[in-house]
């Protein structure tokens, strides 16, 4: 089994999970919207702090929003794609991990694909929206170097 085969299988797992989660579209949209609004309340709180104090130890709102957007996008991707590792202890306790050991596939692939939460799209969208706003409102123009640094973070 090669890495390419494992990646292709993981993509199939993602497609199947996506179809299953979209079976109830209204529920999916409401949960995604709820995730968007809940994480949006955090940035409203940060905005309220900066509306009152302008800077916090030299940090401005666009600089904090840049960090906030990068962190939220990263966490949304990690929670959506790697959620299986978060529930790994339950798999071991319940005996489900024994079933994974019998399959001729990579354990990392099976654990990672065990639970994929696409509902984090709301958090991802909110983080992306804040990140774009931060880039547009930074004091100096966001150049290619800053975009590359943001991509590495």
């Amino acid at each position: 089994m090669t890495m390419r085969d494992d990646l292709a299988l993981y993509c199939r797992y993602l497609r199947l999970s996506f179809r299953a989660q979209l079976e109830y579209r209204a529920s999916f949209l409401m949960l995604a919207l709820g995730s968007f609004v809940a994480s949006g309340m955090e940035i409203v709180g940060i905005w309220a702090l900066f509306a009152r104090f302008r800077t916090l130890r030299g940090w401005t709102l666009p600089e904090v929003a840049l960090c906030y957007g990068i962190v939220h996008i990263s966490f949304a991707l990690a929670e959506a794609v790697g959620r299986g590792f978060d529930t790994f202890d339950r798999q071991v306790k319940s005996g489900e991990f024994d079933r994974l050991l019998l399959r001729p596939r990579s354990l990392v692939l099976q654990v990672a694909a065990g639970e994929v939460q696409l509902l984090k799209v709301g958090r991802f969208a909110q983080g992306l929206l804040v990140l774009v706003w931060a880039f547009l409102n930074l004091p100096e123009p966001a150049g290619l170097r800053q975009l590359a640094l943001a991509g590495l973070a």
Side-chain angles (χ1 to χ4, degrees):
M1 200 55 45
T2 66
M3 175 86 110
R4 183 181 213 153
D5 294 335
D6 285 342
L7 189 58
L9 182 61
Y10 185 71
C11 289
R12 284 180 86 188
Y13 283 153
L14 286 178
R15 281 194 305 270
L16 289 172
S17 179
F18 190 64
R19 281 188 200 155
Q21 290 181 39
L22 281 179
E23 189 70 29
Y24 301 100
R25 292 177 196 262
S27 175
F28 176 81
L29 290 174
M30 285 187 287
L31 286 169
L33 182 65
S35 174
F36 181 87
V37 170
S39 60
M41 294 310 295
E42 296 170 0
I43 197 67
V44 169
I46 293 170
W47 172 80
L49 281 173
F50 280 96
R52 170 71 173 97
F53 299 109
R54 297 287 175 221
T55 64
L56 295 174
R57 294 213 178 211
W59 287 80
T60 63
L61 179 59
E63 293 168 341
V64 171
L66 178 73
C67 295
Y68 177 91
I70 291 170
V71 167
H72 267 269
I73 288 172
S74 301
F75 271 98
L77 289 173
E79 285 179 335
V81 179
R83 181 74 177 162
F85 292 105
D86 203 23
T87 61
F88 182 70
D89 60 332
R90 284 181 247 142
Q91 289 179 354
V92 172
K93 287 178 187 174
S94 69
E96 288 179 44
F97 186 66
D98 295 340
R99 191 169 36 111
L100 299 180
L101 289 170
L102 297 173
R103 296 179 183 160
R105 296 287 181 186
S106 165
L107 287 174
V108 173
L109 169 78
Q110 293 181 71
V111 171
E115 186 176 341
V116 178
Q117 289 187 344
L118 299 173
L119 301 173
K120 301 301 179 183
V121 70
R123 186 176 186 181
F124 179 85
Q126 195 268 336
L128 186 63
L129 188 68
V130 170
L131 186 66
V132 168
W133 179 88
F135 273 124
L136 294 175
N137 289 291
L138 282 171
E140 62 229 21
L144 189 58
R145 182 169 175 244
Q146 286 175 317
L147 290 173
L149 289 175
L152 292 176

